Amino acid sequence: MKIKYDLNVEASIQNKNLIFEKMPNYKNAKLIFPEGLTEISSDDFKQLKEIKDGMQKYNDVKITCVQLPSTLTIIPEKAFYEWNELEEILIPASVKDIGIDAFRECNKLKTVTFEENSQLKKIGHSAFRECNKLKTLIIPASVLGIGEYAFKNCFNLTSVIFEDKSNLIYIGHSAFIGCQKQRKIILPDNVKRIESFAFNDEKIKINVPEKVFYIGESAFSETSVTTQNVRLTGLQEIEENSFVYAKGIKSLNIKGSIKTIAPYSFAYCNISQINIEEGVEDIQKRAFVGNCFKAVKIPKSVDIENDNILDAFDDDVEITQIISKGTTLEN
């Protein structure tokens, strides 16, 4: 990268000139990257941050808007980390990967727009963490995964919308934790894996995708589940406290694809109807305490002599086991 700045800023990247364009507010500037660039290194962005800081110090001009080239494929790690004056950015359709910490702590970033027909596949670890001014976000249908802490502590984020026909399959650890003003989120139907503490906030109204096969510890704890009749047809593994205090679930159907129901998985959810299908082998301590149902039928695949069974439900719940079709054994 070639840099020259005094009162007038001149800079180039890969022998192509950068443009600094004054905004209507004469103290703000727009940074325009040259077309044709497919990659910009983290080192280049470090030097750009020096330019930005120098402009603010010597020229009293802030870069509040960035226009990336329509040919860019990756926004690298820490590209805009702590660009505290940045207010808006358009992510070109060509970008496939937003790297770790790419926009972390951009404290004034209000608007993130993904260009139509986006090819974005991954939003990286902590990519938008602590972007405190960000309020709304529309995530492209092309995105497959959202990394851990991606939107952690985006305090003013009130709306996250996934485009129709979303391909999202993965939501990372604590991806949306600390989004205190977020009120509702509709997860795409084909999400397969939701890691620990992904949401974990009593203010969020949220649905439960039917085909999810892994739910991490406390992923939905204390949320207001909008899926009243939860059917977990593809579930293979569930960690402890995954739905603890998740109010709103009225009925629950657990397929036999899951072998172990972890401690406190569905505790204190106000469930009134429950169906556990053949194939489940172990129901661990306190898994279903604090609910509204008073009777439960346990499939024969579960060892009813295991002490965990008695501790898994409230004391006044009648437990019977299905021995064969039409036959039950009362405990």
Side-chain angles (χ1 to χ4, degrees), residues 70 90-95 112-120 138-142 163:
S70 62
L90 171 67
I91 309 238
S94 56
V95 172
V112 176
T113 305
F114 294 96
E115 192 175 26
E116 192 174 353
N117 299 318
S118 173
Q119 300 175 45
L120 185 66
I138 299 176
I139 296 178
S142 57
E163 285 185 341

Side-chain angles (χ1 to χ4, degrees), residues 41-59:
S41 71
S42 294
D43 287 339
D44 283 340
F45 273 104
K46 284 181 182 178
Q47 292 186 59
L48 279 173
K49 191 173 188 296
E50 291 178 11
I51 295 176
K52 173 189 75 70
D53 294 342
M55 289 177 67
Q56 184 171 353
K57 182 176 181 179
Y58 299 113
N59 298 19

Side-chain angles (χ1 to χ4, degrees), residues 235-248:
L235 192 63
Q236 297 177 19
E237 187 175 356
I238 189 167
E239 303 290 355
E240 61 184 276
N241 299 315
S242 51
F243 285 90
V244 66
Y245 290 108
K247 308 298 183 181

